[in-house]
Amino acid sequence: MPLGTIAVYNKADGMGIIADEDGARRPFSGMEAQTTREGQRVVFEVVGAKATNVIAVR
């Protein structure tokens, strides 16, 4: 599971962007995330170009 940071989250749309350690940016849905706080470190799975199963890392 890649490690990244929530770069942006739009509460109105329920969508956000995760910046992973390689510099790639991947969209994700707030419905598939444990946290949506910007700046939060997360691990996630990649399905196509999308991040899913987003889990907060302490």
Side-chain angles (χ1 to χ4, degrees):
M1 293 179 80
L3 184 64
T5 303
I6 296 178
V8 176
Y9 184 73
N10 183 324
K11 290 180 185 175
D13 293 334
M15 299 295 293
I17 302 290
I18 294 175
D20 70 15
E21 290 185 318
D22 298 332
R25 295 187 176 269
R26 302 188 183 277
F28 76 97
S29 168
M31 297 289 286
E32 300 172 344
Q34 183 185 57
T35 182
T36 57
R37 192 181 78 205
E38 291 180 9
Q40 175 70 49
R41 301 275 295 163
V42 294
V43 293
F44 57 94
E45 293 179 22
V46 178
V47 177
K50 182 180 171 189
T52 187
N53 296 330
V54 179
I55 302 168
V57 175
R58 295 182 189 251

